[in-house]
Amino acid sequence: MPDYNTMELMICTASRELEDGASVGVGTGAPCAAAMLAQKIHSPNLIIVFEAGGVAPLIPEMPISVGDSRTTWKAIMASGMCEIMETACRGMLDYTFLGGAQIDMYGNLNSTRIGTDHQKPKVRFPGSGGANDFGSFCWRMMVMTPQDSKRFVEKVSYCTTPGWLSGGDSRAKSGLPLGAGPYKIITNMAVMDFEPESKRMRVIALNPGYSVKDVQDNCGFELLKAKKIVENHAPTKEELHMLRDVIDPYRYVIGR
Amino acid sequence: MPDYNTMELMICTASRELEDGASVGVGTGAPCAAAMLAQKIHSPNLIIVFEAGGVAPLIPEMPISVGDSRTTWKAIMASGMCEIMETACRGMLDYTFLGGAQIDMYGNLNSTRIGTDHQKPKVRFPGSGGANDFGSFCWRMMVMTPQDSKRFVEKVSYCTTPGWLSGGDSRAKSGLPLGAGPYKIITNMAVMDFEPESKRMRVIALNPGYSVKDVQDNCGFELLKAKKIVENHAPTKEELHMLRDVIDPYRYVIGR
Amino acid sequence: MDVIEQGVGDIFTDPDADKARAFFRGKSRKMENKVMSVKDAVAKFIHDGDYITIGGFGANRVPVAVCHEILRQGRKKLGFAGHTSTHDFQILCAGEVFDRCDIAYIIGLEARGLSPNARRYMETGKVKVSEWSNYALSVRFKAAAAGVSFYPARNLMGTDTFKYSAGRIIECPFTKTKYVALPALYPDVSAIHVHEADMYGNCRVRGITVSDFDVARASKRLIITCEKLISNEEIRRDPSYTVIPYWCVDAVCEVPYGSYPGNMLGEYFSDEEHLKEWLKVESDPAEFKAFLEKNIYGCKDHFEYILKNGGMAKMQMLRQKEMMFIGAR
Amino acid sequence: MDVIEQGVGDIFTDPDADKARAFFRGKSRKMENKVMSVKDAVAKFIHDGDYITIGGFGANRVPVAVCHEILRQGRKKLGFAGHTSTHDFQILCAGEVFDRCDIAYIIGLEARGLSPNARRYMETGKVKVSEWSNYALSVRFKAAAAGVSFYPARNLMGTDTFKYSAGRIIECPFTKTKYVALPALYPDVSAIHVHEADMYGNCRVRGITVSDFDVARASKRLIITCEKLISNEEIRRDPSYTVIPYWCVDAVCEVPYGSYPGNMLGEYFSDEEHLKEWLKVESDPAEFKAFLEKNIYGCKDHFEYILKNGGMAKMQMLRQKEMMFIGAR
């Protein structure tokens, strides 16, 4: 048994994607933990922003809301929704982390509903929140989610947040800002990117202990495979120490 | 000889148009003096705003700029250009006072140029500033100007700020907000309004000592005359005292 | 203007700028005393059928006392802008006050989980919905605040969020780029909780402003609750701090701890235990009924609600938590 | 999208939002020390041919040191946004730096009168002009700050101001109301004077903000001059006060009395005698040349300019005037 859990693995893997000097729009929970971890380990100049208005706080503990006091604790600016989203729309936000109940092979996300009757859904979820906005505007959208066939589906019941839409040049044609889109999908088993032409999801790295077959078996659509699939290294001692002892000592996100 | 000058007469007449509880967007000089006088005499709740962002200051002395410190002295808000103009566009500003080098029979104003070559004008004036904005958005636009055939012209060389455009329903059709437009023109000789159907300028009141003929002789187009033309009363002792001793003690606006 | 594509959602409020202007023309600009109780403010300014907006962000700087009073006075058939609406939405769903809703984020309480009751209510089909994103709703308020009937934005396109919105895709007249035109949203009435206000309604806010500047300006009627009334002299001491001018405001209600059990920046942190209890009791209809009876219907006002949930000792604890005396560190 | 009518003016800057995004993608987000001299900032960030914007409002909170330095470094063929541009415009016209100009308000100094030299220059035909209003230019900045290529507004229509603008009349896709579409204005470089900034460029402003929030965000490069450098710790002490975030900023120049001879709210009033002298000497070419030599070309920096015009005694007098110790009352 490895000495880390699934959530710790995903957060550590995700944090490595955030290079120094980049900007990232995050929500509460795992995305915020990944961004904080990146700051502590290798990206001291990573700029964290929250959709409700907080810019570059010295986050003292995990926020419970993207608008709570912790998101502006010793921040450089406490602004508003338009300020953040328009900064993203101007092209100043490099990354965002999003989630959802479903994701498809083009990285489209559903956080709105299951069922076909929109006015009377079988299951209602919260809706877009700022996800559609960050997903439309940030250059690189990333997702952290467990590898599971119920989540990775052929077609999302409802496309809340744009991925590469129907693939190819469909996103470029949609009117959404050019050049932005899904970048990497990080699961407990693997890291996927998107093949440049078809924009289909593609396995590029495996986490320790998992095979391509494991990933495909837990995915509801056919995954492309990169020519060279690398193996991710396990969370380091330093990463786990920072995550467990400094960032999330009460284990709100990483669990007990 | 009356014991007041032309500027004092216009300011006193203009101030009487501003009822209590109304809001007015003003520039420096005579409009600001008229608004301050209205506050002191009969409209303590008159709200004065300046285009650069000042809202309801306790104006300590005549501002020299619509953005100087005096325009936010003990104000209730120091905001910006969009805040003020959008407040006007939402329909929250009742009055504005504007000026210009020329005015025509529909109340259109020129503060841009004389001459026909726009890229190389015979005479260049400052341009719209906020005049086009206030004139487009405020419900009632007023003008204070000396009665002079060179100013009251058949057709303005350049329409900087909309009056009733070409009269009739032309303004309503233009796309400008409905119901707003020129209201009263105040000169040293008379007060004019606009005939409701044709929207042509019409004499409705005369200042002491002037006849309709005097007004027409100093106007470059044919004026309509109201059925009943009233006589304005001269500036009162109280008005003159306030204007000379309290509002403009250094006589920047009213002159020496 | 060619509409390239349009959403199937309803527009619940009239975006017409001239009609809004006609309303605002009649709104008083006088600086008059607007201080009143929350009870009177809700009775006077919120009517059955109105379209309402609640300021703040979920459980942060949210006018809880107004939400409770809406339930006590039994308002029905309200329209609602669900713009990261969390605990406020949960309260209002407990009263089943809505029949239509513009949705960006509802039924959830962020990291705290989902509200079973709000979810159930939104799955009944009783509430007509149009779908948006947080920024799309922000832009709709921003357009209204600017006194126009639409603003263009670059989100929503290509998704079902667009399909179930009432947005319309147009082309930029300069660059031919596609934009989603978002209809201006002029709410009938909004409630916003602020740190400080004077008797006329001039308001100061610390920390994030979310969409409240625009909501305040876009709204036909506006109820302000504030932590603390301050003098007009204090407002005039530095007009740089005023974020909502009095002429937007119809009622000023002083409600200390007015965002409780939510967070108020620099004043008190959210009461996570109480919010957890809310979510828990919602699973049992009988228990939930008793909970609402205790905390809302059986309370005269916000003071009584606070008293039943720990009173001043609890408030002191939450203040200390906000100040980081109590926390993860 | 049908364009119903369009102005004959030129658009001097590209409103394309994707091209602006491509630029901003490459702009640094690192918090690094950006403190430098005005001389270095102008040398590094303002180039011949650039389109520039000057913040503030005429002779209020205006970055005078940057305007003087543009003359000293002999910049030419600049484009300019004349958005109630008064003393700044007067200075820049003295260097004949423009070849194109978006005009809302130029050549005048409000109640002080018109600048004979600026007027002459604008009547030569050497400067290509497009016509707007103050709010129209504000909206053009606001659209750029929002990352879009246009915003609609309800002014200009029906006038020659529209005819000589580059606006285009469109219809609202919801209400069929006419709007003038205003193209986003992304300046190549802007200079804004603020009260306080930290070494990274986080800025605080007191009093009116004019269009500076939007200008800061719309600009590809931004030079900040500030009355006073403050620590990043002070910025973080209350993030509510930050109005321009560091990532908009390329250079931070500490210039005490940096708006002199203009007004700086809470710091010093305008030097009306010096501004009167400016207007007067402009009528005589030889006298004007000597005046410019003394006050601009012959000065190393803003300190030297101030020293030649009364030095600290003058600054003290203007501070007392600002504080209303000296004035009409």
Side-chain angles (χ1 to χ4, degrees), chain C residues 87-109:
Chain C
H87 184 55
D88 50 336
F89 193 76
Q90 179 182 31
I91 298 168
L92 293 168
C93 283
E96 301 210 341
V97 305
F98 306 126
D99 68 3
R100 60 205 190 280
C101 186
D102 284 307
I103 298 178
Y105 182 97
I106 56 160
I107 79 175
L109 278 92

Side-chain angles (χ1 to χ4, degrees), chain C residues 1-3 11 15-18 21 135 142 146-154 166 168 170-175 179 181-183 206-207 238 240-241, chain D residues 1-3 11 15-18 21 135 142 146-154 166 168 170-175 179 181-183 206-207 238 240-241:
Chain C
M1 176 132 109
D2 292 341
V3 172
I11 306 181
D16 189 285
D18 281 309
R21 273 176 65 85
Y135 179 57
K142 181 175 158 168
V148 299
S149 56
F150 79 103
Y151 262 170
R154 306 194 72 188
R168 297 184 180 180
I170 58 171
E171 259 181 13
C172 170
F174 301 99
T175 63
Y179 284 89
L182 298 166
R206 287 184 61 198
D238 197 336
S240 312
Y241 299 143
Chain D
M1 175 131 112
D2 292 341
V3 171
I11 306 181
D16 189 284
D18 281 308
R21 275 175 65 85
Y135 179 57
K142 181 174 157 170
V148 299
S149 56
F150 80 103
Y151 262 169
R154 305 194 73 188
R168 296 183 182 181
I170 57 170
E171 260 182 13
C172 171
F174 301 100
T175 63
Y179 283 89
L182 298 166
R206 289 184 60 198
D238 196 335
S240 313
Y241 298 143

Side-chain angles (χ1 to χ4, degrees), chain C residues 308-320:
Chain C
K308 285 180 179 168
N309 288 283
M312 292 315 292
K314 171 72 79 62
M315 296 305 114
Q316 189 178 35
M317 188 274 282
L318 295 175
R319 180 176 291 273
Q320 290 179 7

Side-chain angles (χ1 to χ4, degrees), chain A residues 108-177:
Chain A
N108 299 302
L109 292 166
N110 175 15
S111 58
T112 300
R113 65 154 155 86
I114 303 291
T116 50
D117 183 349
H118 190 68
Q119 297 297 332
K120 199 176 169 178
K122 199 167 149 237
V123 184
R124 175 75 217 194
F125 300 119
S128 159
N132 182 289
D133 312 321
F134 272 149
S136 297
F137 301 149
C138 294
W139 290 105
R140 293 171 162 184
M141 184 258 272
M142 296 199 278
V143 173
M144 240 186 289
T145 186
Q147 189 75 49
D148 177 343
S149 300
K150 284 189 197 134
R151 286 178 176 267
F152 287 77
V153 296
E154 184 79 31
K155 190 169 164 32
V156 287
S157 290
Y158 182 103
C159 173
T160 308
T161 298
W164 293 113
L165 300 180
S166 53
D169 62 356
S170 59
R171 179 162 170 143
K173 281 185 174 162
S174 70
L176 293 171

Side-chain angles (χ1 to χ4, degrees), chain B residues 105-124:
Chain B
M105 73 176 78
Y106 299 114
N108 301 303
L109 291 166
N110 175 15
S111 58
T112 300
R113 67 154 153 84
I114 302 292
T116 49
D117 182 350
H118 190 67
Q119 297 298 334
K120 198 176 170 178
K122 200 167 148 235
V123 183
R124 175 75 217 193

Side-chain angles (χ1 to χ4, degrees), chain A residues 182-219:
Chain A
Y183 177 60
K184 289 191 181 165
I185 310 299
I186 292 150
T187 77
N188 52 321
M189 298 183 184
V191 175
M192 276 81 78
D193 74 351
F194 294 84
E195 190 278 315
E197 289 303 310
S198 66
K199 301 288 199 283
R200 274 181 58 188
M201 203 183 287
R202 173 174 75 174
V203 182
I204 56 166
L206 292 169
N207 285 338
Y210 293 103
S211 67
V212 169
K213 185 173 182 303
D214 293 331
V215 183
Q216 184 61 72
D217 286 350
N218 287 282
C219 183

Side-chain angles (χ1 to χ4, degrees), chain C residues 35-46 63-70 72-73 223-226 251-255 258 300-302:
Chain C
V35 177
M36 62 183 81
S37 67
V38 170
K39 191 177 168 181
D40 288 349
V42 169
K44 199 166 169 188
F45 296 113
I46 306 183
V64 171
V66 171
C67 297
H68 284 201
E69 189 60 30
I70 288 171
R72 278 194 290 267
Q73 295 194 20
I223 298 171
I224 291 294
T225 65
C226 62
V252 178
C253 313
E254 190 180 22
V255 187
K300 188 164 56 70
D301 56 21
H302 201 64

Side-chain angles (χ1 to χ4, degrees), chain B residues 167-182:
Chain B
D169 62 357
S170 60
R171 181 166 170 139
K173 282 184 174 165
S174 70
L176 293 170
L178 295 174

